[in-house]
Amino acid sequence: NGSTNRFALVPHNPTLEIPNGLSIAAWVKPNVLHRGTILNKSDGNGFEFWLDNNGQLEFRLNRGTNGNTYLIRSNYNYSGDLGKWIHVAATFNGTEIIIYVNGVANITKTYAPFTIGTTSGNLILGALGTVQRFNGGLD
């Protein structure tokens, strides 16, 4: 609800380990230009989707073992849409990562086939662990 220090945590369950592909979609209404996490399951490996403090959307897979190899940043900059609802999505199908903004593909990157690493971390909405808390509306 945009309140300070609010986020949701879903405890780890093996059914949340999604190695071959996934889609994340959300309505976001950022209050400020900041690094605010939309959704992540990234304790070691996994996935992360957030608004960056430079105004871009960032989606990353397998940071723990691959660093920035599977990182993609949008061409879109949300700084002009503060206080407005924006529909954002990130998808991965085993070889291709796409970020969508308001239903339109914004950027695509293709890789050799790979899988999302398994992780025992929790699924967290609105924060990265307990940091990078989202400031605004998230639905």
Side-chain angles (χ1 to χ4, degrees):
N1 65 8
S3 298
T4 301
N5 297 323
R6 300 287 300 257
F7 62 93
L9 184 145
V10 179
H12 170 70
N13 184 296
T15 62
L16 297 173
E17 294 178 8
I18 308 168
N20 299 314
L22 84 129
S23 295
I24 299 168
W27 284 97
V28 298
K29 186 171 100 173
N31 290 333
V32 296
L33 189 65
H34 73 302
R35 181 169 281 172
T37 301
I38 298 167
L39 181 76
N40 84 91
K41 185 172 184 359
S42 61
D43 186 17
N45 279 311
F47 51 88
E48 306 165 339
F49 189 34
W50 64 57
L51 303 180
D52 212 342
N53 54 12
N54 66 3
Q56 293 175 297
L57 302 171
E58 183 174 305
F59 183 55
R60 181 188 336 225
L61 302 172
N62 298 343
R63 179 183 1 182
T65 55
N66 298 105
N68 291 337
T69 301
Y70 303 116
L71 176 134
I72 187 171
R73 290 187 179 109
S74 67
N75 295 313
Y76 164 78
N77 191 301
Y78 72 90
S79 62
D81 291 325
L82 296 177
K84 299 176 185 175
W85 285 104
I86 310 155
H87 188 265
V88 298
T91 64
F92 168 66
N93 67 6
T95 59
E96 186 176 58
I97 297 173
I98 305 172
I99 292 178
Y100 294 86
V101 178
N102 292 322
V104 177
N106 179 262
I107 190 164
T108 303
K109 193 165 183 184
T110 303
Y111 301 88
F114 73 98
T115 58
I116 300 171
T118 58
T119 175
S120 60
N122 299 317
L123 179 72
I124 303 173
L125 292 83
L128 181 67
T130 58
V131 299
Q132 283 186 211
R133 294 182 180 173
F134 192 88
N135 184 333
L138 180 61
D139 193 18

